Amino acid sequence: MNLANKITLVRIFLVPVLMIFLLVKYDLGQFHLGAGSITVSEMIATLIFIVAAITDGLDGYIARKRKLVTNLGKFLDPLADKLLISAALISLVEMQRLDAWIAVVIISREFAVTGLRLVAAAEGQVIAASPMGKLKTIIQIIAVAALILNNFPFSSVAFPFSEIFIWLAVIITVISGVDYFVKNKRVIRFTKPR
Protein backbone atom coordinates (compact mmCIF):
# COMPACT_ATOMS: atom_id res chain seq x y z
CA MET A 1 0.00 0.00 0.00
CA ASN A 2 2.21 2.81 -1.31
CA LEU A 3 1.49 6.56 -1.55
CA ALA A 4 0.01 6.38 -5.06
CA ASN A 5 -2.42 3.64 -4.04
CA LYS A 6 -3.40 5.55 -0.90
CA ILE A 7 -4.26 8.58 -3.06
CA THR A 8 -6.37 6.32 -5.29
CA LEU A 9 -8.20 5.01 -2.21
CA VAL A 10 -8.89 8.60 -1.13
CA ARG A 11 -10.58 9.13 -4.51
CA ILE A 12 -12.76 6.06 -3.94
CA PHE A 13 -13.71 7.23 -0.43
CA LEU A 14 -14.60 10.69 -1.77
CA VAL A 15 -17.29 9.18 -4.05
CA PRO A 16 -19.93 8.61 -1.31
CA VAL A 17 -19.06 11.98 0.26
CA LEU A 18 -19.69 13.63 -3.12
CA MET A 19 -23.05 11.88 -3.42
CA ILE A 20 -24.10 12.95 0.08
CA PHE A 21 -23.52 16.62 -0.74
CA LEU A 22 -25.27 16.23 -4.11
CA LEU A 23 -28.31 14.21 -3.08
CA VAL A 24 -28.99 14.93 0.59
CA LYS A 25 -30.82 18.22 1.04
CA TYR A 26 -28.83 20.46 3.38
CA ASP A 27 -29.82 24.05 3.96
CA LEU A 28 -26.34 25.56 4.25
CA GLY A 29 -27.24 28.76 2.44
CA GLN A 30 -26.92 30.12 -1.08
CA PHE A 31 -24.76 32.45 -3.15
CA HIS A 32 -26.29 34.79 -5.71
CA LEU A 33 -24.76 36.50 -8.71
CA GLY A 34 -27.17 38.46 -10.85
CA ALA A 35 -29.98 36.10 -11.83
CA GLY A 36 -27.88 33.00 -10.97
CA SER A 37 -27.61 31.26 -7.64
CA ILE A 38 -25.92 28.20 -6.15
CA THR A 39 -26.20 26.39 -2.84
CA VAL A 40 -23.28 25.92 -0.48
CA SER A 41 -23.82 22.14 -0.78
CA GLU A 42 -23.32 22.38 -4.55
CA MET A 43 -20.13 24.40 -4.05
CA ILE A 44 -18.78 21.82 -1.58
CA ALA A 45 -19.75 18.97 -3.95
CA THR A 46 -17.95 20.71 -6.82
CA LEU A 47 -14.83 21.13 -4.70
CA ILE A 48 -14.93 17.45 -3.68
CA PHE A 49 -15.36 16.39 -7.32
CA ILE A 50 -12.46 18.56 -8.52
CA VAL A 51 -10.15 17.35 -5.72
CA ALA A 52 -11.06 13.73 -6.54
CA ALA A 53 -10.47 14.37 -10.26
CA ILE A 54 -7.06 15.93 -9.55
CA THR A 55 -6.01 12.86 -7.56
CA ASP A 56 -6.51 10.83 -10.78
CA GLY A 57 -3.51 12.51 -12.40
CA LEU A 58 -1.58 12.81 -9.15
CA ASP A 59 -1.57 9.10 -8.22
CA GLY A 60 -0.42 8.10 -11.72
CA TYR A 61 2.33 10.72 -11.73
CA ILE A 62 3.61 9.62 -8.31
CA ALA A 63 3.47 5.94 -9.27
CA ARG A 64 5.53 6.52 -12.43
CA LYS A 65 7.94 9.05 -10.93
CA ARG A 66 8.77 6.96 -7.84
CA LYS A 67 8.48 3.62 -9.65
CA LEU A 68 5.56 2.60 -7.43
CA VAL A 69 3.47 0.97 -10.16
CA THR A 70 1.77 -2.11 -8.68
CA ASN A 71 -0.89 -4.59 -9.79
CA LEU A 72 -3.14 -3.22 -7.05
CA GLY A 73 -2.72 0.29 -8.47
CA LYS A 74 -3.44 -0.93 -12.00
CA PHE A 75 -6.70 -2.38 -10.69
CA LEU A 76 -7.73 0.44 -8.31
CA ASP A 77 -6.96 3.45 -10.52
CA PRO A 78 -9.38 2.73 -13.38
CA LEU A 79 -11.96 1.45 -10.87
CA ALA A 80 -11.75 4.73 -8.93
CA ASP A 81 -12.13 6.73 -12.17
CA LYS A 82 -15.22 4.79 -13.23
CA LEU A 83 -16.78 5.07 -9.75
CA LEU A 84 -16.23 8.83 -9.60
CA ILE A 85 -17.60 9.69 -13.03
CA SER A 86 -20.47 7.18 -12.79
CA ALA A 87 -21.53 8.41 -9.35
CA ALA A 88 -21.44 12.04 -10.47
CA LEU A 89 -23.43 11.38 -13.66
CA ILE A 90 -26.06 9.23 -11.93
CA SER A 91 -26.44 11.88 -9.22
CA LEU A 92 -26.91 14.56 -11.88
CA VAL A 93 -29.63 12.45 -13.52
CA GLU A 94 -31.34 12.14 -10.12
CA MET A 95 -31.06 15.92 -9.71
CA GLN A 96 -32.67 16.33 -13.17
CA ARG A 97 -29.68 18.24 -14.52
CA LEU A 98 -28.66 15.57 -17.01
CA ASP A 99 -30.61 13.36 -19.40
CA ALA A 100 -30.27 9.69 -18.52
CA TRP A 101 -29.25 8.71 -22.06
CA ILE A 102 -26.18 10.96 -21.83
CA ALA A 103 -25.10 9.28 -18.60
CA VAL A 104 -25.66 5.84 -20.19
CA VAL A 105 -23.57 6.73 -23.27
CA ILE A 106 -20.65 8.05 -21.20
CA ILE A 107 -20.71 5.23 -18.63
CA SER A 108 -21.07 2.58 -21.36
CA ARG A 109 -18.00 3.90 -23.17
CA GLU A 110 -16.00 3.84 -19.94
CA PHE A 111 -16.85 0.20 -19.27
CA ALA A 112 -16.40 -0.84 -22.93
CA VAL A 113 -12.85 0.55 -23.01
CA THR A 114 -12.12 -1.05 -19.62
CA GLY A 115 -13.32 -4.37 -21.06
CA LEU A 116 -11.03 -3.90 -24.06
CA ARG A 117 -8.11 -3.24 -21.72
CA LEU A 118 -8.92 -6.39 -19.73
CA VAL A 119 -8.96 -8.48 -22.91
CA ALA A 120 -5.63 -6.94 -23.95
CA ALA A 121 -4.16 -7.61 -20.49
CA ALA A 122 -5.21 -11.25 -20.74
CA GLU A 123 -3.21 -11.41 -23.99
CA GLY A 124 -0.19 -9.77 -22.33
CA GLN A 125 -0.72 -6.39 -24.00
CA VAL A 126 -1.13 -2.95 -22.46
CA ILE A 127 -3.40 -0.30 -23.96
CA ALA A 128 -2.08 3.07 -22.87
CA ALA A 129 -4.29 6.12 -22.51
CA SER A 130 -4.51 8.00 -25.81
CA PRO A 131 -4.26 11.80 -26.13
CA MET A 132 -7.94 11.82 -27.14
CA GLY A 133 -8.78 9.74 -24.06
CA LYS A 134 -6.99 12.29 -21.88
CA LEU A 135 -8.83 15.16 -23.59
CA LYS A 136 -12.10 13.28 -23.01
CA THR A 137 -11.34 13.08 -19.29
CA ILE A 138 -10.63 16.83 -19.03
CA ILE A 139 -13.82 17.74 -20.94
CA GLN A 140 -15.88 15.36 -18.79
CA ILE A 141 -14.49 16.89 -15.58
CA ILE A 142 -15.31 20.43 -16.77
CA ALA A 143 -18.81 19.38 -17.91
CA VAL A 144 -19.66 17.53 -14.69
CA ALA A 145 -18.34 20.37 -12.50
CA ALA A 146 -20.40 22.89 -14.51
CA LEU A 147 -23.52 20.75 -14.12
CA ILE A 148 -22.97 20.33 -10.37
CA LEU A 149 -22.70 24.13 -10.17
CA ASN A 150 -25.95 24.35 -12.17
CA ASN A 151 -24.15 26.50 -14.78
CA PHE A 152 -23.17 29.07 -12.13
CA PRO A 153 -21.88 31.80 -12.68
CA PHE A 154 -22.76 31.59 -16.40
CA SER A 155 -26.46 31.33 -15.56
CA SER A 156 -26.36 34.97 -14.47
CA VAL A 157 -25.69 36.00 -18.09
CA ALA A 158 -27.77 33.20 -19.69
CA PHE A 159 -24.71 31.54 -21.30
CA PRO A 160 -25.21 27.74 -21.62
CA PHE A 161 -21.64 26.80 -20.60
CA SER A 162 -22.61 23.49 -18.94
CA GLU A 163 -24.80 22.47 -21.89
CA ILE A 164 -22.02 23.17 -24.40
CA PHE A 165 -19.50 21.17 -22.39
CA ILE A 166 -21.77 18.19 -21.78
CA TRP A 167 -22.39 17.95 -25.53
CA LEU A 168 -18.64 18.22 -26.14
CA ALA A 169 -18.13 15.50 -23.54
CA VAL A 170 -20.62 13.17 -25.27
CA ILE A 171 -19.08 13.74 -28.71
CA ILE A 172 -15.47 13.30 -27.58
CA THR A 173 -16.40 10.34 -25.36
CA VAL A 174 -17.94 8.50 -28.32
CA ILE A 175 -15.13 9.44 -30.74
CA SER A 176 -12.40 8.43 -28.28
CA GLY A 177 -14.19 5.14 -27.56
CA VAL A 178 -14.40 4.30 -31.27
CA ASP A 179 -10.75 5.37 -31.63
CA TYR A 180 -9.65 2.91 -28.90
CA PHE A 181 -11.46 0.01 -30.59
CA VAL A 182 -10.23 0.88 -34.12
CA LYS A 183 -6.60 1.28 -33.02
CA ASN A 184 -6.71 -1.89 -30.91
CA LYS A 185 -8.80 -4.16 -33.14
CA ARG A 186 -5.86 -6.60 -33.24
CA VAL A 187 -6.55 -7.32 -29.56
CA ILE A 188 -10.02 -8.60 -30.39
CA ARG A 189 -8.93 -10.31 -33.59
CA PHE A 190 -6.14 -12.29 -31.93
CA THR A 191 -8.02 -13.27 -28.81
CA LYS A 192 -7.96 -17.03 -28.43
CA PRO A 193 -11.31 -18.78 -28.05
CA ARG A 194 -11.99 -20.17 -24.58
Side-chain angles (χ1 to χ4, degrees):
M1 184 54 66
N2 58 44
L3 178 60
N5 291 343
K6 287 177 182 174
I7 292 171
T8 304
L9 283 176
V10 167
R11 184 156 77 256
I12 291 171
F13 289 129
L14 284 175
V15 170
V17 178
L18 169 68
M19 293 185 75
I20 287 169
F21 278 98
L22 284 177
L23 301 177
V24 178
K25 303 300 179 197
Y26 294 106
D27 186 13
L28 302 175
Q30 288 189 338
F31 287 101
H32 300 279
L33 181 64
S37 66
I38 182 173
T39 67
V40 173
S41 293
E42 290 167 339
M43 290 185 72
I44 293 170
T46 305
L47 182 61
I48 291 168
F49 178 76
I50 291 170
V51 167
I54 289 170
T55 66
D56 179 24
L58 183 62
D59 58 7
Y61 173 78
I62 290 171
R64 288 186 300 274
K65 185 83 171 171
R66 298 186 181 181
K67 296 183 174 42
L68 299 174
V69 177
T70 64
N71 287 334
L72 178 63
K74 289 177 187 176
F75 169 74
L76 285 180
D77 186 56
L79 174 66
D81 299 342
K82 306 304 175 268
L83 287 172
L84 178 65
I85 200 71
S86 298
L89 292 172
I90 292 166
S91 297
L92 288 165
V93 170
E94 171 69 19
M95 297 165 71
Q96 300 182 346
R97 293 189 187 171
L98 182 67
D99 290 336
W101 73 266
I102 292 176
V104 170
V105 167
I106 293 173
I107 293 169
S108 297
R109 180 268 184 209
E110 299 301 328
F111 283 99
V113 170
T114 298
L116 179 66
R117 284 196 167 114
L118 289 172
V119 170
E123 298 296 315
Q125 300 177 47
V126 175
I127 299 177
S130 70
M132 190 173 292
K134 291 176 181 176
L135 175 64
K136 177 267 313 174
T137 301
I138 292 167
I139 298 292
Q140 281 182 359
I141 291 167
I142 294 169
V144 169
L147 286 170
I148 293 172
L149 287 171
N150 204 16
N151 202 41
F152 185 83
F154 301 100
S155 55
S156 63
V157 290
F159 179 70
F161 180 86
S162 61
E163 190 174 333
I164 290 168
F165 266 84
I166 199 61
W167 277 104
L168 276 174
V170 170
I171 292 165
I172 292 173
T173 295
V174 170
I175 291 171
S176 70
V178 171
D179 182 59
Y180 269 108
F181 277 87
V182 169
K183 288 183 178 172
N184 297 286
K185 60 188 174 195
R186 71 188 187 284
V187 171
I188 300 168
R189 186 178 302 156
F190 294 117
T191 301
K192 298 170 188 168
R194 301 205 180 274

